[in-house]
Amino acid sequence: MTGLLVIAIPKELAPGEQRVATVPDVVRNLKKSGCEVRVEHDAGAMAYYTDAAFTAAGATIVSDRDALLAGARIVLAVQPPTVAEAEQLPEGTIVIGFMNPAGNIEAIKKMRDRKITAFALELVPRISRAQSMDALSSQATAGGYVAVILGAEHCPKFLPMLTTAAGTIRPSTVLILGAGIAGLMAIATAKRLGALVEAYDVRRAAGEQVRSLGAKFLELEINAEGQGGYARELTAEEKIKEQEMVSAAVARADIIITTAAIPGRKAPVLVTKETVATMKPGAVIIDMAAETGGNCELTQAGRTVQAHGVTIIGPKNLPAKVPFHASQMYAKNLQSFLTLLVDKNGVLVTEYTDEILTASLLVHGGQVRHQPTKDLLEKTP
């Protein structure tokens, strides 16, 4: 094994995290590229990837975290490193994963001071050649699926129309607010379960995608297309018009799934407490933006609350609820990203000149390279 590029996969320690940063199929491909792959004992257990499966794929199972990281040039992770985890990393280590730059400042400082190189997958640009590396999209797909299953679990009604000897049961109405990657997956899943599906997004371009999935797109004469495929923030007048239309749709829905988010900002409120009071008893809200403030005014992150007979769920880390496939997709994203860092002979590139690497480089050489994070760091005592 001496002389090979060592890639280490630690076990995720964040509460509720069941994913793992690589899977046996990807390990096989990394081995073919001339890399040594070390996996911490039971790193994949919660995602149902066993140590035996990793060993069969060519990985080395390591029980001790220090031994795992000793000599490792690249560390692949799902959750952002904590300060304690950053302290364990040897100087010069390359860490790739989600970094949550705005919410993990102390760990970023620690990585900077220890001269760690960190690539943040949430900063990968949304360009065509980076699609296979887009972990935000792959995990949003998993989250959108789980949101519908969670809504169906808490809804007191059948989702599909049923014709029975006891009479005909009308299908439930599912409303999706926000037709990005998560929203589109939620639409497709709800349709497969037989529900009537309506969807709204401030980006008019999303209407074609919504209709192609068989859902009704709620039209409003607003074009809020922003940069990078995200929505811009609405004006005060636009927000009033939006609220009126959304409120009417909310009142007739049995399940509402909200997905609206603005990068680096608090989630916009789409469902006010007054609107909740107009909803049907037994209706369910799944707020996918709970961790950034929530699209529903009554959402509490990580909790399920009741108001006016409505169940409001603020889930955290929905992709971790389907860890097997979420890990599989995430591992493929990382495998694609590594092709920019490691050549076919298992040799690391020395210059990060590729536009994808440049955009996603968070910390390198004792400096914070991502300007918004650098600005935030300078403002933090």
Side-chain angles (χ1 to χ4, degrees):
M1 295 293 184
T2 304
L4 296 180
L5 176 68
V6 178
I7 299 175
I9 292 85
K11 183 177 181 178
E12 299 292 327
L13 301 178
E17 184 55 75
Q18 300 185 70
R19 292 170 292 177
V20 61
T22 198
V23 298
D25 283 346
V26 170
V27 169
R28 291 187 182 92
N29 293 328
L30 295 177
K31 292 287 290 182
K32 290 177 183 177
S33 298
C35 300
E36 177 188 348
V37 182
R38 297 178 190 163
V39 177
E40 189 170 7
H41 171 59
D42 273 350
M46 296 300 290
Y48 300 94
Y49 293 101
T50 64
D51 284 353
F54 279 116
T55 300
T60 301
I61 302 299
V62 182
S63 296
D64 179 73
R65 179 66 66 96
D66 289 335
L68 176 81
L69 298 175
R73 292 290 289 115
I74 297 176
V75 174
L76 305 181
V78 179
Q79 289 289 338
T82 63
V83 172
E85 288 171 329
E87 285 179 340
Q88 287 184 291
L89 297 171
E91 183 176 316
T93 302
I94 298 170
V95 185
I96 309 169
F98 289 125
M99 294 291 160
N100 184 22
N104 202 25
I105 290 297
E106 293 305 315
I108 291 170
K109 287 180 182 177
K110 181 63 66 175
M111 289 191 289
R112 176 199 63 190
D113 296 344
R114 292 185 62 79
K115 293 184 171 57
I116 305 300
T117 295
F119 288 97
L121 292 182
E122 57 265 69
L123 300 180
V124 169
R126 287 192 160 176
I127 57 177
S128 57
R129 38 181 304 257
Q131 285 183 346
S132 63
M133 310 168 198
D134 189 354
L136 279 178
S137 291
S138 75
Q139 300 310 289
T141 296
Y145 170 83
V146 176
V148 174
I149 302 303
L150 191 60
E153 178 186 354
H154 286 82
C155 181
K157 301 179 179 180
F158 292 121
L159 263 64
M161 182 178 76
L162 295 177
T163 302
T164 74
T168 299
I169 295 173
R170 294 178 58 80
S172 295
T173 298
V174 177
L175 172 64
I176 312 296
L177 298 178
I181 299 297
L184 292 172
M185 184 61 180
I187 291 168
T189 303
K191 285 295 294 182
R192 291 186 187 109
L193 292 175
L196 290 176
V197 184
E198 296 183 336
Y200 172 67
D201 195 291
V202 292
R203 299 167 299 132
R204 282 185 291 184
E208 183 178 346
Q209 294 172 300
V210 168
R211 287 186 285 266
S212 72
L213 293 171
K216 177 184 177 182
F217 185 65
L218 304 178
E219 301 275 5
L220 189 65
E221 291 303 313
I222 291 175
N223 185 11
E225 191 84 43
Q227 294 183 345
Y230 294 102
R232 65 167 172 83
E233 191 166 12
L234 299 181
T235 65
E237 183 180 353
E238 287 172 339
K239 286 180 180 179
I240 293 172
K241 292 180 179 179
E242 177 194 50
Q243 193 62 59
E244 291 173 350
M245 186 189 68
V246 170
S247 294
V250 166
R252 62 178 176 263
D254 297 297
I255 298 173
I256 300 166
I257 296 170
T258 68
T259 72
I262 302 171
R265 302 283 295 276
K266 182 184 181 299
V269 173
L270 302 180
V271 183
T272 64
K273 57 186 177 183
E274 290 80 12
T275 302
V276 172
T278 70
M279 293 175 64
K280 300 176 183 178
V284 180
I285 298 174
I286 307 296
D287 193 337
M288 293 186 65
E291 293 181 90
T292 55
N295 296 142
C296 175
E297 198 172 2
L298 299 178
T299 296
Q300 295 182 34
R303 297 189 60 190
T304 297
V305 297
Q306 296 273 340
H308 307 289
V310 177
T311 300
I312 304 163
I313 303 173
K316 291 184 175 181
N317 197 0
L318 282 174
K321 305 299 183 185
V322 281
F324 185 90
H325 281 131
S327 296
Q328 184 183 83
M329 292 191 293
Y330 185 77
K332 290 287 187 180
N333 296 144
L334 284 173
Q335 179 184 327
S336 295
F337 190 89
L338 284 171
T339 62
L340 304 176
L341 279 174
V342 184
D343 67 20
K344 294 180 180 180
N345 299 314
V347 178
L348 277 171
V349 300
T350 55
E351 298 292 334
Y352 304 140
T353 55
D354 186 281
E355 62 178 323
I356 297 172
L357 295 181
T358 301
S360 57
L361 185 60
L362 181 63
V363 182
H364 178 62
Q367 296 181 338
V368 177
R369 297 298 184 94
H370 181 239
Q371 192 60 47
T373 303
K374 186 176 182 180
D375 295 342
L376 184 61
L377 200 101
E378 291 172 352
K379 296 176 184 177
T380 304

